[in-house]
Amino acid sequence: MDSNEKKSSNKSISINRKLIFMFVLIVLLSTLAVGFFAYQTAYKQIEYNFSQTIQNTAVTAALHISGNKHSNITTEADKQSSEYKEIRAYCEQIKTELGVPYAYTLMTRNDKVYFVVATNSPPGKEYSWQSGMKKAFSGQPSSTEGFYTDEYGTFKTAYAPIKNSSGQVVGVMAIDFNAKDILAFRTKVLTNLAMPIIIIIGICFVLAIWLAGKISNPIKLLHQNSQQMAEGDFTSDIDIKSRDEIGELASSLNHMKNNLKYLITGIQNYAD
């Protein structure tokens, strides 16, 4: 193989690689974008359904708490009262029946939030505002935005208003739900999406190699024949039958080659 052929081969490989990279990159980005959209849609829908379910559970639990009795619990001294013991027993029952780590009640005073009945916190102990709490104190069930993680795991808390006999919101029922099932579902969705994406990318890679060859091989042939013409070899025609611009270019080069061959032959005959 001479130097020109080597240069042609190198250029052909370069074109192939560029085309393959371009096709694979387009498919990869498109597939990842579709996969990400599908994942986000599925995950958001599941999280929404989960939020609605736990909010409905909290509403049902709050309906079984007497708002009048709940209003009588304000300080740590009230832990000995019958009202506190009754609501505390009910919270423990909720924890057992639902299999949740925490079920507790809250109250608000002077724009601050306090525990009323809680496993590890006495009545009147100040708590911090969490997302969704104020909505519940305004009378609507809610839940925390997204999930939060602490040393005990990953949770999502549902809130529901506790009302007295006059219909006034006097507290909030709060239930912490373990999010392990949702996190497991998220992992499952990612796994289920990953395999089709890998297969699609593999198929597209093979198609990219084939398509790149279909485009670059005629270009390589045109380049080789142009080099032959430059060296004075007009004996072979460019055999490209494609009905596109490359085919038209090959036909034009063949026509030019024949004209040059006749011209040179005529000059040689005249010279002789």
Side-chain angles (χ1 to χ4, degrees), residues 8 12 15 213 215-229 236-241 246 250 253-254 257:
S8 175
S12 175
I15 291 173
I215 295 174
S216 64
N217 287 341
I219 296 175
K220 175 183 176 181
L221 186 59
L222 287 171
H223 177 73
Q224 290 175 341
N225 276 267
S226 297
Q227 290 294 327
Q228 291 175 357
M229 290 174 59
S236 60
D237 287 335
I238 305 172
D239 187 17
I240 297 176
K241 299 293 193 297
I246 294 179
L253 284 176
N254 282 330
K257 179 186 291 188

Side-chain angles (χ1 to χ4, degrees), residues 38-58:
Y39 164 75
Q40 287 290 95
T41 301
Y43 182 67
K44 285 182 178 180
Q45 184 61 48
I46 291 298
E47 184 179 351
Y48 172 79
N49 293 340
F50 180 70
S51 298
Q52 293 300 306
T53 299
I54 64 175
Q55 286 177 32
N56 292 336
T57 302

